[in-house]
Structure formats: structure tokens, C-alpha cells
């Protein structure tokens, strides 16, 4: 019965996540640990693995819309997968209380990074060419892409979060992508990170497959409906909810 309750709660959570367009792994972690009493290591592994399914549908959509730089996304994503696989093993070495506090801090940082991304995009000149793919500059470009992947992947694997704002900031500020291509490419990057991180947690016994199924069914069902409300509210409200969502999850986790 608890799995049914979790699925129903995840439907409600999915409504919010679909509305703000977020993966919501931090919120999932908070609900599973605080409300349902799961160990935080299990919650981290479940939330990270669940992101693969939400990112899969988003990636297909962005690819069809031409919003994705495949080669860059593949390099960053594979490097991120390596970082997530390695760091997922490190999380088992961190005591539960300390890991919860650290994950909460990362969620607050994620909210701040998201706010900075919005500020950066709003101030960026419209002449920057959102429809133009980024220019690839050779060895230095690929080295930077690898580093972005390794660092953000390690953060995802260790704390169970998607690191979406950090990936997008890296793609925009370091690799020079427009917001359009950064958003689409990030969805591709998250897929191997979530898959490798989830596999890492499964290998050390911290991934509950039945729990994962309940979370995925609930969040994807709710997200489908929630996404229909995105264009029906003022932009200011939407941006505020996007920034506050990870922070609220962090606050719940601190309990």
C-alpha cells in the first residue's frame, strides 16, 4: 500500500514539476525521506534513476525541434556518466545525517544557479543568435566539455540531483551556447548521467526498483498534466516557482 501512496503523492508532485519544467529530483528525495521514511541513500539513487525517464521524453522533443548539439551533448554526457558512476559510490561513505545536510545545501545552490541563469539570459543581447548552433573551437572546446561533464556528473551522482542549472550555465558561459541549444543539449546530457548514477547506486544496494517504478509512474503522469498550465500563468509567477521549487525541497530535507 505504501507504494500506491507514493505513486499518488508523486502524481501531485509531478503536476508541480511539469508546470515549472523541472526534473525535481531534490523534491523527490525530500518527500521520500521526510514523508515516507526511506533512507536518504535509497532516495538519492531512486531520484537519480527516475531522471532518465523524464529526460528521455524531453530529449526526443528537443531533438525534433532542432534545439540540440548532438556531438557536444554526447561528450559532456559520457564524461558526466563517468563522474556520476564514480561519485555514486562515494555517497555510501557519507553518514546519512551529513549527506542530507549536504544535499539540502546543493539544492539551495541549484536554486541560486537557476536564478543566475535567468538573469544572464534576460540580459543577454537578442543579437546573440538563439537559432545559430555554437561554434566548436577544437581541443580546448572539447577539454572544457569533458570538465563540465565530469564535474556536474559527479555532483549528480553524489547528491542525487540533476544539476540542470549547473550544466546549462557551463554550456552557456564556457562553451558559448545560446539558451535554446543549452536547454536542449542539457536534456541529452542528463540521460547518461542518470543512467550511470542509478546503476552505481543499484550496484551498492541503494536502488529500490519497485520504488523507482512508483516514482516514475506518478511523476510522469502528473508532469504531463502540469505542463499544460505552463503557458497559462504570468511569466513572473512561473520564474518564481522555478527558483523556489528546489529551495522548498531543500527546506523540507532540512527537517
Amino acid at each position: 500500500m505504501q507504494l500506491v501512496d507514493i505513486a499518488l503523492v508523486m502524481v501531485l508532485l509531478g503536476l508541480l514539476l511539469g508546470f515549472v519544467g523541472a526534473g525535481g529530483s531534490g523534491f523527490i528525495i525530500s518527500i521520500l525521506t521526510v514523508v515516507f521514511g526511506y533512507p536518504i541513500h535509497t532516495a538519492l539513487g531512486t531520484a537519480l534513476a527516475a531522471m532518465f525517464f523524464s529526460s528521455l521524453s524531453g530529449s526526443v522533443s528537443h531533438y525534433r525541434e532542432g534545439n540540440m548539439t548532438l556531438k557536444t551533448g554526447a561528450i559532456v554526457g559520457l564524461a558526466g556518466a563517468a563522474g556520476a558512476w564514480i561519485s555514486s559510490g562515494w555517497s555510501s561513505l557519507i553518514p546519512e545525517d551529513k549527506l542530507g545536510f549536504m544535499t539540502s545545501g546543493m539544492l539551495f545552490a541549484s536554486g541560486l544557479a537557476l536564478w543566475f541563469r535567468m538573469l544572464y539570459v534576460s540580459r543577454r543581447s537578442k543579437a546573440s543568435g538563439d537559432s545559430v548552433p555554437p561554434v566548436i573551437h577544437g581541443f580546448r572546446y572539447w577539454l572544457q566539455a569533458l570538465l563540465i561533464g565530469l564535474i556536474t556528473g559527479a555532483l549528480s551522482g553524489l547528491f542525487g540531483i540533476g544539476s540542470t542549472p549547473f550544466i546549462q550555465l557551463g554550456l552557456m558561459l564556457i562553451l558559448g551556447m545560446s539558451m535554446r541549444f543549452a536547454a536542449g543539449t542539457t536534456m541529452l546530457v542528463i540521460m547518461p548521467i542518470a543512467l550511470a548514477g542509478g546503476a552505481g547506486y543499484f550496484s551498492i544496494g541503494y536502488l529500490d526498483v519497485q520504488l523507482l517504478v512508483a516514482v516514475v509512474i506518478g511523476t510522469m503522469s502528473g508532469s504531463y498534466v502540469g505542463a499544460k498550465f505552463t503557458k497559462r500563468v504570468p511569466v513572473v509567477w512561473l520564474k518564481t516557482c522555478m527558483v523556489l521549487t528546489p529551495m522548498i525541497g531543500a527546506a523540507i530535507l532540512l527537517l
Side-chain angles (χ1 to χ4, degrees), residues 30-255:
S30 302
I31 296 298
L32 291 180
T33 54
V34 176
V35 178
F36 293 101
Y38 278 91
I40 189 168
H41 293 93
T42 301
L44 292 181
T46 302
L48 186 57
M51 284 194 302
F52 172 80
F53 298 93
S54 59
S55 300
L56 177 60
S57 59
S59 294
V60 172
S61 177
H62 277 292
Y63 176 75
R64 289 177 175 174
E65 294 294 326
N67 299 335
M68 189 179 291
T69 304
L70 284 174
K71 186 179 291 186
T72 302
I75 295 297
V76 177
L78 290 175
W85 171 266
I86 295 171
S87 65
S88 61
W90 296 344
S91 69
S92 63
L93 305 176
I94 305 175
E96 285 194 9
D97 55 340
K98 292 183 179 179
L99 184 57
F101 182 78
M102 294 167 66
T103 301
S104 178
M106 281 303 303
L107 288 173
F108 276 115
S110 180
L112 291 176
L114 186 58
W115 171 80
F116 179 77
R117 187 201 70 179
M118 292 178 181
L119 186 65
Y120 173 78
V121 171
S122 66
R123 292 186 176 183
R124 192 169 184 170
S125 171
K126 293 182 179 180
S128 59
D130 254 16
S131 60
V132 181
V135 178
I136 298 176
H137 300 288
F139 176 77
R140 182 178 179 182
Y141 179 93
W142 295 118
L143 179 61
Q144 291 172 332
L146 285 170
L147 290 175
I148 292 171
L150 283 171
I151 294 172
T152 55
L155 291 176
S156 294
L158 186 59
F159 301 111
I161 64 174
S163 296
T164 298
F166 302 109
I167 296 172
Q168 290 185 354
L169 284 174
L171 296 179
M172 289 189 293
L173 296 178
I174 300 176
L175 300 187
M177 282 192 187
S178 66
M179 180 59 201
R180 171 189 163 188
F181 280 93
T185 304
T186 296
M187 296 300 290
L188 175 61
V189 170
I190 290 176
M191 286 176 57
I193 289 178
L195 192 61
Y201 277 97
F202 180 78
S203 68
I204 56 178
Y206 287 131
L207 179 60
D208 187 322
V209 177
Q210 290 184 328
L211 176 61
L212 173 63
V213 172
V215 169
V216 170
I217 291 175
T219 53
M220 292 192 73
S221 300
S223 294
Y224 179 80
V225 178
K228 297 182 180 299
F229 293 92
T230 301
K231 294 183 179 181
R232 292 175 169 81
V233 300
V235 175
V236 174
W237 292 12
L238 179 60
K239 289 183 176 181
T240 301
C241 289
M242 289 175 70
V243 173
L244 289 180
T245 295
M247 293 186 172
I248 293 174
I252 294 174
L253 193 56
L254 281 177
L255 295 176

